Amino acid sequence: MRADALRRTVAAAAVAVLLAAGGCTTGGAAKDTDGTSGADRAGARSGTMRGITLPSWYRTDYDSPAADRYLRGIRATGARWVTFTPTWYQNRVTDTSPHTTEETASDTSLRHIVGRAHGLGLKVMIKPHIDLPGDEDRADIRPRDRAAWFTSYRRFITHYADLAADTRTEQLAVGTELAGVSGDTAAWAGVVRAVRDHYDGPLTYAANYDEYRKIHFWKDLDLIGIDAYWPLSARPTDDPARLRRAWAPIRDELAAYARGQNRRILFTEAGYVSQRGATTAPYSWTVSRRPAPAEQAAAYRALLDSFTGRRWWAGVCWWMWDDWPDSGETPVKLAYTPRGKPAERVLREKWGAS
């Protein structure tokens, strides 16, 4: 048996045992509850991911003097994980080769910030992205030559697999929201095999909330990853109870899916702008121009109440901590960041920050 195949077999067996026992690839067991304070205590013990994403928009962002301050702020919420998102770009949806730009975090800066995070006691997930110019959606990528695109993609992702291995990064995502190509199961199985030749840690893929059921290579990965931007309300609300009711059928669907796939589910992203109507379209940066920090906080509370302590749930990595100085296109008072808002207080309460 090839070494990578052996690793996949061992990893799959370990995940199956952990799932049966209520465990997690990032920690121990947690008892199912109904989202009470007992659930929060169980979730805190379980080792499920308590994470926040710190994205990069420029090659030197992760070298910024603000980096240490941001990482300390993330840790102060009670977070134990941070996600970094080096991003390559392609000019058109039909292109066959993504490439670096000035907006791609340099390898030096990424290595630097992983070391800084580890120095502060934070675990790291690297979640590389492929993006398009302007407001185009990466889910629309449909290369004219898929074989050529996947060849380029393997070079891209194994580059970060090597970096993750070198920096002892604890987890890696092999892709993010690539719905236009994520149905190519055999090609993705090849991507995962290539990554495992370079990196031994747990792997996931970050599927959009309307994409995850179309993924047929979960068996090759250690965790099901979902970017959890489900609309929860037809109109703006800051009522956590109402939002918990909206989560209930989604939660039941996800629990069944996790059992069927024999994998735990990680929310590789979840987030809400602090704008009126954020819960109606969590995926949008521009729901309105009216600040609504209470609605954002209610959404944070409802998600954590609804999922913390569920043994099939592997945790959440919130999008996002903050923009870098002078780089934000959305005013802080309207942006996804919970920093300095009631949503941060919710995180500190739920994650047991001192």
Side-chain angles (χ1 to χ4, degrees):
M1 181 183 290
R2 289 176 56 191
D4 61 331
L6 176 60
R7 285 197 298 270
R8 290 197 303 277
T9 301
V10 171
V15 171
V17 170
L18 285 163
L19 182 62
C24 176
T25 57
T26 56
K31 183 179 178 181
D32 272 338
T33 71
D34 292 323
T36 62
S37 58
D40 296 338
R41 292 192 296 271
R45 291 194 302 269
S46 74
T48 52
M49 183 180 285
R50 295 182 296 179
I52 298 177
T53 301
L54 184 59
S56 169
W57 312 122
Y58 189 64
R59 61 183 178 83
T60 58
D61 277 343
Y62 289 147
D63 279 327
S64 167
D68 283 336
R69 182 174 76 252
Y70 284 178
L71 291 174
R72 288 195 301 269
I74 288 170
R75 188 184 61 174
T77 66
R80 293 297 173 261
W81 285 77
V82 59
T83 291
F84 302 125
T85 61
T87 303
W88 289 24
Y89 295 83
Q90 56 185 75
N91 297 330
R92 293 172 295 274
V93 297
T94 56
D95 285 354
T96 58
S97 183
H99 53 84
T100 62
T101 73
E102 284 293 293
E103 296 178 353
T104 303
S106 72
D107 289 352
T108 299
S109 71
L110 185 56
R111 289 175 183 275
H112 192 192
I113 202 163
V114 170
R116 287 173 165 178
H118 284 159
L120 288 170
L122 292 166
K123 295 181 180 181
V124 172
M125 178 165 68
I126 294 178
K127 188 159 82 62
H129 288 188
I130 300 290
D131 270 341
L132 293 159
D135 295 328
E136 291 188 81
D137 188 347
R138 68 176 72 98
D140 293 331
I141 292 174
R142 286 170 176 77
R144 58 181 176 272
D145 184 337
R146 291 195 173 220
W149 187 89
F150 273 104
T151 296
S152 297
Y153 191 86
R154 282 193 297 274
R155 287 196 296 267
F156 156 76
I157 198 63
T158 55
H159 172 80
Y160 287 108
D162 285 335
L163 193 150
D166 290 346
T167 57
R168 300 184 181 274
T169 289
E170 285 81 1
Q171 192 158 286
L172 178 68
V174 301
T176 298
E177 296 177 2
L178 292 166
V181 292
S182 62
D184 292 21
T185 303
W188 280 101
V191 168
V192 176
R193 285 194 300 271
V195 169
R196 290 201 189 276
D197 281 338
H198 293 252
Y199 174 74
D200 291 331
L203 300 180
T204 189
Y205 169 87
N208 200 36
Y209 75 97
D210 58 358
E211 178 194 3
Y212 76 94
R213 285 189 171 275
K214 302 171 187 175
I215 303 296
H216 299 296
F217 53 93
W218 292 127
K219 63 182 176 57
D220 299 313
L221 299 168
D222 303 298
L223 288 166
I224 295 167
I226 301 178
D227 289 356
Y229 294 110
W230 278 274
L232 299 176
S233 180
R235 61 183 186 276
T237 180
D238 58 9
D239 181 357
R242 180 177 167 189
L243 296 171
R244 285 194 296 269
R245 289 193 294 272
W247 273 120
I250 300 168
R251 184 183 60 218
D252 292 346
E253 176 184 312
L254 293 177
Y257 192 76
R259 288 193 300 270
Q261 296 292 323
N262 204 30
R263 294 289 186 277
R264 299 188 80 198
I265 292 175
L266 171 67
F267 285 176
T268 38
E269 286 183 27
Y272 305 88
V273 291
S274 47
Q275 300 171 22
R276 177 173 170 78
T279 55
T280 71
Y283 44 78
S284 174
W285 288 78
T286 54
V287 180
S288 72
R289 295 183 179 181
R290 179 175 171 184
E295 186 169 356
Q296 181 191 44
Y300 269 62
R301 183 176 297 279
L303 187 151
L304 292 172
D305 283 349
S306 296
F307 291 96
T308 301
R310 307 281 169 171
R311 60 188 180 184
W312 54 266
W313 189 62
V316 60
C317 193
W318 292 99
W319 183 273
M320 57 176 219
W321 182 244
D322 210 343
D323 279 312
W324 298 91
D326 303 320
S327 70
E329 297 179 359
T330 303
V332 169
K333 66 180 181 180
L334 299 174
Y336 276 94
T337 177
R339 182 177 62 86
K341 302 174 185 177
E344 182 180 355
R345 292 198 294 274
V346 172
L347 289 181
R348 287 171 175 265
E349 171 194 339
K350 293 294 184 179
W351 284 351
S354 58

